[in-house]
Amino acid sequence: MDNQNSKFRWVIFTSVLFTYLIMSSQRTAPGLITDQLMIDFGVTAATVGLVTSIQFFVYTGLQVPMGMLADRYGPNFLLIIGANLTGVGTIIYSFGTHEFVLFFARILTGIGDATIWVNMVLILSQWFNEKEFTRLIGFAGMTGSLGFLLATVPFSALIVLLGWRGAFLSAGILLCLLSIFLYFVLVKKSQQSFFVASKIQREKTSVLLRRILSNRQAWALFLCHFGIVGGYIGFIGSWAVPYMMDVYGMTRLDASQLIMFSLIGALIGAPLIGWISSCLATIKRPYIVFHITVLLCWSIFLIFREHPPFYLLIILFFIIGFGFGSNSLTFAVVRQTFPITETGIVTGFANTGGFLSAVLLPSIIGYILDHFQSTSGSIGDGYYYGFFTPVIFSIFGLIGVILIKEKHQGAGREPNEKRTDFST
């Protein structure tokens, strides 16, 4: 089957993205039942926070290993197994009777979740040409944001209808069924191999890893993803609501509703930015523009001493979300400048940068707020100094995107073409 000219590639695209939608929703869905878990299991907020966040730690830590496994064994096997693991972990979570069971279930879910992005990128790169890929990877990024949206009002309604155990059990069963469906679509129907029997002699893992870690292009992609992802996921997903409650005196419900502006920005930005880049036949120039835009947005919080006018706050949240949508361009550059045999590990390495910043930023801001709370009894200035963190992270991102070396789109790269050397 000629993958890149087959109409069946759109079935592949839809199937993989729908799986990503459901899997990404389960990253944040446990946050909806934090208070219920504290009551049912008699545990502290810190314990529930650890159970909730462990998935992100597992996800971040497994990105590079997952990329190496994807390059060696192929994306079909890992994506199918990952969807099944996420489903099984979610089912175990729904039957949990002790916090250790919940902890184990979230680790299992994190392992499964770690497979989705790297392997989805590889699958789409196999079924779509370079120009299509640059446009469609934006829709893939939008799907992740839709997953976060699914884990708000829709999943809350399901919890009200079925109870939290019934809601998570339903999601787990759906993911297990999707893993079976993916096997039918990716392997049986498309006549592809479950495992990749590569004709290319594989390098030793240590040699390949050393080469990637000494490659300037790989580090540039790591940095630009580090700078654009952490501010959105790390701040919007953790401190945005408390910030608006403490600084603007908003209720939790009103602050949560305001976050929707950022989410809407991300939903619009991801496909639109990919389309703009495809039309301009360049990735680097629009990516630089959006990095600078996001950096300026975070800097405005410092200019207004953490308290910009309310109308401006709404605009800033929308633009930060819109700029976050450009993060999918990182993987368009990977697709463009690295051989297919290294795409998985480089994708995983770049994605590690993004989620490392998303893990670090909430902790750093939390430490700053605790410091001001303990020294002055108020966290008033804490948010001001806390906003230096996304500003600094964004500067790293801008440096990374400036360091990227881009090949002109249209200069196609065959799967086995010799690697373009971007090493320092």
Side-chain angles (χ1 to χ4, degrees), residues 44 108 194 214 364 370 379 385:
T44 64
L108 202 61
F194 189 47
S214 64
I364 294 172
D370 285 343
I379 60 174
Y385 289 100

Side-chain angles (χ1 to χ4, degrees), residues 54-97:
I54 189 63
Q55 179 174 348
F56 290 100
F57 285 102
V58 172
Y59 180 97
T60 304
L62 287 180
Q63 286 306 289
V64 171
M66 201 58 64
M68 299 175 73
L69 290 172
D71 285 336
R72 183 170 294 274
Y73 299 110
N76 294 342
F77 164 72
L78 288 168
L79 184 58
I80 292 167
I81 295 301
N84 190 62
L85 280 177
T86 306
V88 171
T90 305
I91 291 172
I92 293 174
Y93 191 83
S94 72
F95 286 111
T97 55

Side-chain angles (χ1 to χ4, degrees), residues 201-279:
Q201 184 177 0
R202 296 291 180 180
E203 296 177 88
K204 289 183 178 180
T205 298
S206 58
V207 175
L208 176 60
L209 192 55
R210 278 200 302 270
R211 190 171 75 239
I212 296 300
L213 291 177
S214 64
N215 188 299
R216 193 185 83 168
Q217 182 83 339
W219 279 106
L221 293 166
F222 179 97
L223 286 176
C224 70
H225 212 57
F226 180 94
I228 203 74
V229 171
Y232 177 81
I233 295 181
F235 183 80
I236 300 297
S238 61
W239 287 111
V241 169
Y243 158 72
M244 287 184 283
M245 293 173 65
D246 292 333
V247 176
Y248 290 87
M250 300 175 66
T251 65
R252 186 178 301 276
L253 178 61
D254 289 340
S256 299
Q257 291 175 342
L258 190 58
I259 296 300
M260 293 295 293
F261 286 98
S262 185
L263 184 59
I264 292 170
L267 289 173
I268 297 173
L272 182 59
I273 292 170
W275 178 80
I276 291 172
S277 177
S278 178
C279 289

Side-chain angles (χ1 to χ4, degrees), residues 71 122 125 200 202-203 208 211-212 215 333-347 407 413-422:
D71 285 336
L122 287 176
S125 69
I200 302 173
R202 296 291 180 180
E203 296 177 88
L208 176 60
R211 190 171 75 239
I212 296 300
N215 188 299
V333 177
V334 174
R335 165 73 167 78
Q336 183 190 80
T337 58
F338 283 88
I340 196 67
T341 54
E342 297 176 5
T343 301
I345 185 173
V346 179
T347 297
K407 290 171 64 179
R413 172 172 53 81
E414 295 299 324
N416 297 333
E417 184 181 334
K418 186 178 179 181
R419 178 175 67 93
T420 303
D421 191 2
F422 295 107

Side-chain angles (χ1 to χ4, degrees), residues 305-326:
R305 299 288 303 185
E306 91 200 12
H307 199 299
F310 186 73
Y311 75 89
L312 184 56
L313 180 70
I314 296 175
I315 295 173
L316 290 174
F317 276 177
F318 177 83
I319 295 176
I320 288 171
F322 190 92
F324 167 76
S326 68

